Amino acid sequence: MKTELPSSWRSAQSALRAVQVAFDVSESVLQAIRAAAYENNLSNSDQVRVVLGLPLLRQAKRPRLTVSLSETDYQLLGARYDLDPGDSLAIKERVGATLIAFAEKQRKPRGKRSTP
């Protein structure tokens, strides 16, 4: 007997069937895709879809960065921020603030160099 999916899940049905595919390519190909994605304000995977002539799956996306953190990383970050290494939420908040501060520093215009 086949069960009917709830209507709220039906829109995600095709995404559930999607399979992530990885390609082993040269460093130059990887650099070219990353550069084009950056210039077009796309993710790397969306840029690959553009190159392949596939439609972009424009869903509301939260802009986010990801990084894998080990227990050792949490210990190092806990020491850096004077936090309990087990308090992953507090560490995540401080890391987020650090990334925001980095981005703001990058956006500030560089000092003009004086010419001799």
Side-chain angles (χ1 to χ4, degrees):
M1 178 166 89
K2 199 170 189 176
T3 308
E4 185 75 19
L5 284 176
S7 60
S8 61
W9 291 11
R10 287 186 195 134
S11 62
Q13 195 170 9
S14 62
L16 293 173
R17 292 189 191 125
V19 176
Q20 187 170 20
V21 180
F23 299 94
D24 293 322
V25 294
S26 69
E27 187 68 28
S28 62
V29 172
L30 188 60
Q31 294 281 339
I33 294 294
R34 286 179 175 164
Y38 175 78
E39 289 179 17
N40 295 317
N41 198 26
L42 294 172
S43 67
N44 292 342
S45 59
D46 280 348
Q47 184 62 48
V48 169
R49 295 185 69 81
V50 167
V51 170
L52 298 176
L54 298 173
L56 294 181
L57 309 173
R58 289 290 180 190
Q59 301 169 353
K61 294 181 185 176
R62 291 180 296 167
R64 62 182 177 184
L65 295 170
T66 60
V67 65
S68 298
L69 299 174
S70 67
E71 285 186 40
T72 302
D73 295 329
Y74 277 106
Q75 290 172 359
L76 293 168
L77 291 168
R80 175 181 179 175
Y81 297 124
D82 197 26
L83 295 169
D84 176 357
D87 192 351
S88 59
L89 182 57
I91 290 172
K92 180 180 177 181
E93 289 172 355
R94 292 293 295 273
V95 166
T98 300
L99 295 174
I100 290 167
F102 170 81
E104 288 172 352
K105 185 177 177 183
Q106 293 295 109
R107 276 193 296 244
K108 289 184 181 174
R110 306 265 195 260
K112 292 183 180 179
R113 293 183 182 163
S114 59
T115 53

